[in-house]
Amino acid sequence: LAEGNDWWFHAKNMPGSHVIAKTGNRELPDKTCLEAAALAAYYSRAGGDEKKNLSEKIEVDYVQRKALKRVPKAAPGYVIYHTNYSITVEPKGEI
């Protein structure tokens, strides 16, 4: 379960799993940011399943949990956000 200052990562504009980076109210280390983004990219539609074409680079959005808003009556897991960061990474299932 994510808390307000934890970070949420998700591949931009495509279905996939989100990744939560727990911070314990500390700053997010660069290495953790890159690893979380790579995992989110891997577990997206464009990620690393053998049945898919592995994309070289995938854009991943990330934002603090407190900036996410649930949409009433939307599908489970559907959220919106307005102020986010983006990073382009290679998908990696193992870090």
Side-chain angles (χ1 to χ4, degrees), residues 13 18 37 44-45 51 61-62 77 83 85 94-95:
N13 298 325
H18 64 262
S44 71
R45 175 171 283 168
K51 299 174 189 167
D61 286 345
Y62 62 105
T83 54
Y85 303 95
E94 295 182 24
I95 305 296

Side-chain angles (χ1 to χ4, degrees), residues 57-74:
K57 300 275 185 171
I58 296 174
E59 189 172 2
V60 174
D61 286 345
Y62 62 105
V63 63
Q64 282 190 303
R65 164 59 187 94
K66 62 187 170 188
L68 295 175
K69 303 291 181 219
R70 290 185 186 167
V71 178
K73 299 182 182 179

Side-chain angles (χ1 to χ4, degrees), residues 28-43:
L28 181 67
D30 291 344
K31 182 180 179 190
T32 303
C33 180
L34 290 171
E35 290 173 349
L39 285 169
Y42 183 81
Y43 288 105

